[in-house]
């Protein structure tokens, strides 16, 4: 029997590992221990050391400060922050589960409403209510109505409570990951899609359930990845811009660039939320601390470092530099979007489409699932997919670099994002290629011969 790609499940080839080697375990323990500290360190450095990553270390080593001094100066969890955070998350939950999508009814080309995800390793196809764009629009409309009309709260509210909110985000991140772990033992949504390695730390970090849900519609992956994290991203940036206005009487062009470029990225995410159902996050990763805590803490706190930095160090770029950075960001975004679009179009039409005005070329490939069923697929070697095997990541990295460059070169802190994204996407590239190589075997070798580079032609 032959089944085209995407319509069959090959249990065992997808998802995270079944067995834990010592390196994976060591990495998991390292991340579980140090990730919260890294986030704290970055945010504390901005709050107490004007975004210098070196000064706290020098201060402590020279004996000018003790760790306890730094800790004592750190704002603690407050009732105000707890109330803000509870209202925020509750509001996003309500938008997610109570308001069916209406955007797809009037926005041409937008795919929203009830959509199907990819086939899970156990062969399930989940349905999702795609209403993230609507949640983003409603949230931001209310934000602006408040800022310009009602004045119920200050637009700087997020910046003003940033560290107390960090504790709230951590509590939710740990609570949801722990709940997901307990749920996978007691009442998993789909027991056949659970993976138990027997190693508690690994299972906690990488997740056991593939698509944990509460009821029919509350999907943990879709909710926590998109909202509250990514909806908050643009609001956090607005709050930083408002703080600049309050402190300096103006918003710098660098801050506007960060808001615009990251705003495009966020809007792109919600415009393509249905496409997101077919990415590695949803099709490969299980839901554990890596996604749960990462979405609640890592993403909102570390993806927004440029805006935070610019509050402490307002940078007014020369027009030439601002235009150069804008172009880098827009070209990066174009490559990222078009590469993703080309693969989506190619796969949806089974190659019956035009890429750069011509019928796409591809390599026919096949793979066999554990039950012996043979599946057929195609790997495109035209368009951006003929330039490099992961040119979408290259575009993403160009955009990430543009955000960082807005901050000038005085401090390393805003460059964390590009360093992190380079590690994340290179690792993801290798991880994905390992998976594709074991899936397609010799056909994958033919593909890598035809398209020899991963990210940058001639280099890597
Ligand atoms: P991709 O969208 O690149 O998907 C990889 C899969 O595509 C492969 O496993 C394979 O799947 C298929 N494929 C590979 N080569 C080809 C080809 N030549 N023709 C057709 N299909 C091919 O990966 P991701 O899901 O990781 O990334 C999606 C986007 O999300 C990227 O643009 C990335 O930059 C972005 N991203 C952003 C992050 C952030 O934090 N900002 C984090 C992670 C991703 P199959 O088994 O179907 O053949």
């Amino acid at each position: 029997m032959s089944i085209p790609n995407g319509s069959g499940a090959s249990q065992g080839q997808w998802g995270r590992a079944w067995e834990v080697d010592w390196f994976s375990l060591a990495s998991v323990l390292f991340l579980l221990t140090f990730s919260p500290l890294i986030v704290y360190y970055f945010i504390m450095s901005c709050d107490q050391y004007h975004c210098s990553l070196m000064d706290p270390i020098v201060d402590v080593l020279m004996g000018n400060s003790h760790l306890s001094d730094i800790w004592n100066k750190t704002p603690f969890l407050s009732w105000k922050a707890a109330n803000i955070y509870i209202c925020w998350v509750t509001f996003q939950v309500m938008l997610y589960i109570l308001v069916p999508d209406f955007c797809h009814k009037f926005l041409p080309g937008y795919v929203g409403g009830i959509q199907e995800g990819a086939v899970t390793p156990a062969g399930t196809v989940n349905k999702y209510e795609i209403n993230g764009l609507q949640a983003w629009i409603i949230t931001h409309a209310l934000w602006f109505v408040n800022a310009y009309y009602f004045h119920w709260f200050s637009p700087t509210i997020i910046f003003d409570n940033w560290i107390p909110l960090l504790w709230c985000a951590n509590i939710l991140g740990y609570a949801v990951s722990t709940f997901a772990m307990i749920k996978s033992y007691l009442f998993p949504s789909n027991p056949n899609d659970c993976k138990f390695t027997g190693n508690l730390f690994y299972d906690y970090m990488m997740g056991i359930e593939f698509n944990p849900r509460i009821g029919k519609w509350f999907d943990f992956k879709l909710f926590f990845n998109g909202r509250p994290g990514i909806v908050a991203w643009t609001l956090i940036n607005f709050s930083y811009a408002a703080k600049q206005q309050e402190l300096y009487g103006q918003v710098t062009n660098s801050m506007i660039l960060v808001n615009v470029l990251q705003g495009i990225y966020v809007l792109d995410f919600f415009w393509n939320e249905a496409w997101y159902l077919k990415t590695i996050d949803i099709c490969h990763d299980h839901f554990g601390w890596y996604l749960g805590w990462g979405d609640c803490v890592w993403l909102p706190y570390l993806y927004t470092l440029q805006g935070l930095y610019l509050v402490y160090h307002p940078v007014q770029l020369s027009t030439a530099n601002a235009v150069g950075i804008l172009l880098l960001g827009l070209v990066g975004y174009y490559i990222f979007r078009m590469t993703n679009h080309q693969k989506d179009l190619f796969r949806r039409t089974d190659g019956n489409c035009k890429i750069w005005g011509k019928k796409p070329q591809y390599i026919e490939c096949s793979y066999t699932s554990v039950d012996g069923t043979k599946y057929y697929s195609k790997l495109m070697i035209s368009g951006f997919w003929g330039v490099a095997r992961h040119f979408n990541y290259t575009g993403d990295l160009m955009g990430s670099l543009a955000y960082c460059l807005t901050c000038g070169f005085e401090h390393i802190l805003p460059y964390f994002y590009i360093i992190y994204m380079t590690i994340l996407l290179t690792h993801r590239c290798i991880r994905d290629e390992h998976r594709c190589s074991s899936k397609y075997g010799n056909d994958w070798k033919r593909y890598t011969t035809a398209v020899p580079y991963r990210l940058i032609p001639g280099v890597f």
Side-chain angles (χ1 to χ4, degrees), residues 50 142-143 155 211 237 249 288 297 317 334 342 381-382 400 413 433 449-450:
H50 267 240
L142 288 175
W143 177 271
N211 291 119
N237 281 342
V297 181
L317 296 161
Y334 176 78
Q342 286 178 353
I381 52 170
S382 291
S400 308
L413 180 135
E433 298 214 340
T449 308

Side-chain angles (χ1 to χ4, degrees), residues 40 43-50 69-71 73-75:
Y40 169 75
I43 304 304
M44 177 281 297
S45 300
C46 283
D47 186 45
Q48 296 184 29
Y49 290 89
H50 267 240
D69 298 330
I70 294 178
W71 181 251
K73 273 195 252 164
T74 304

Side-chain angles (χ1 to χ4, degrees), residues 1 34 51 63 77 109 113 128 149 169 201 222 230 251 272 276 284 287 296 302 308 337 339 354 385 388 404 443 456:
M1 177 168 58
F34 289 105
C51 300
L77 179 65
Y128 296 82
Y149 187 70
F201 292 110
L222 192 66
I230 301 187
V251 178
N272 295 292
Y276 173 71
H284 183 93
F287 188 86
C296 291
L302 295 189
L308 181 64
R337 171 58 23 234
T339 313
K354 290 220 162 140
W385 293 89
C404 302
D443 294 333
I456 307 171

Side-chain angles (χ1 to χ4, degrees), residues 5 265 275 279-280 303 336 340 343 347 378-380 385 390 392-393 396 421 424 428 432 435-436 439-440 447:
N5 191 68
Y265 194 76
W275 156 85
T279 63
I280 292 175
Y303 284 26
F336 161 81
N340 288 328
K343 188 188 85 175
R347 280 282 167 91
K378 295 183 175 84
L379 293 165
M380 174 163 58
W385 293 89
H390 273 286
N392 47 351
Y393 292 179
D396 209 348
M421 284 297 281
L424 176 90
R428 204 173 166 102
D432 183 52
R435 171 187 169 274
C436 288
K439 181 174 175 182
Y440 296 122
Y447 173 57

Side-chain angles (χ1 to χ4, degrees), residues 123 143 148 169 183 221 234 240 293 306-307 394-395:
W143 177 271
Y148 290 101
K183 176 179 173 325
K221 267 189 195 169
T234 29
Y240 292 153
W293 180 86
Q306 291 81 29
T394 311

Side-chain angles (χ1 to χ4, degrees), residues 226-283:
R227 336 62 178 286
I230 301 187
V231 177
W233 189 343
T234 29
L235 289 185
I236 294 164
N237 281 342
F238 285 152
S239 185
Y240 292 153
K243 195 68 193 177
Q244 260 201 350
Q245 179 71 39
E246 184 188 292
L247 290 175
Y248 312 108
Q250 62 155 335
V251 178
T252 59
N253 58 4
S254 52
M255 180 67 92
I256 294 172
L257 269 178
V258 167
N259 270 268
V260 169
L261 291 175
Q262 296 190 345
I264 292 173
Y265 194 76
V266 167
L267 262 175
D268 176 274
F269 174 85
F270 286 117
W271 184 269
N272 295 292
E273 200 180 15
W275 156 85
Y276 173 71
L277 300 177
K278 308 282 162 75
T279 63
I280 292 175
D281 280 356
I282 297 268
C283 303

